[in-house]
């Protein structure tokens, strides 16, 4: 798992651990993903990343393997 930045969706994703069963919590500016059993933080998703994170950080992050899709 690697962090990435999707410029088209303006979303940055930072993994902090691994889990096969994740629960997401919506927070201001994005999501926090937790392991359902241990409640350990396993990822942070930052929305509108270009307004919240330094440009140099976003430029250093790779693109995601697949683009984000809009929620239905």
């Amino acid at each position: 798992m690697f962090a990435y930045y999707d410029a088209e969706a303006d979303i940055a994703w930072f993994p902090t651990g691994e889990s096969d069963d994740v629960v997401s919590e919506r927070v201001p500016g994005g999501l926090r993903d937790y392991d359902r059993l241990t409640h350990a933080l396993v990822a942070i998703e930052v929305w509108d990343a270009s307004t919240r994170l330094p440009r140099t950080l976003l430029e250093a992050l790779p693109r995601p393997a697949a683009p984000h899709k809009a929620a239905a």
Side-chain angles (χ1 to χ4, degrees), residues 51-69:
T51 65
R52 300 173 188 279
L53 299 171
R55 181 177 50 90
T56 53
L57 171 62
L58 298 177
E59 289 172 351
L61 293 172
R63 294 179 177 262
H68 282 83
K69 298 193 190 287

Side-chain angles (χ1 to χ4, degrees), residues 1 5-6 18 20 26-27 29 33 36-40 44 47-48 59 68:
M1 265 191 242
Y5 174 57
D6 183 335
E18 293 188 26
D20 292 329
R26 187 172 181 173
V27 295
D33 295 336
R36 187 178 303 272
L37 282 168
T38 67
H39 305 286
I44 299 169
W47 300 340
D48 300 320
E59 289 172 351
H68 282 83

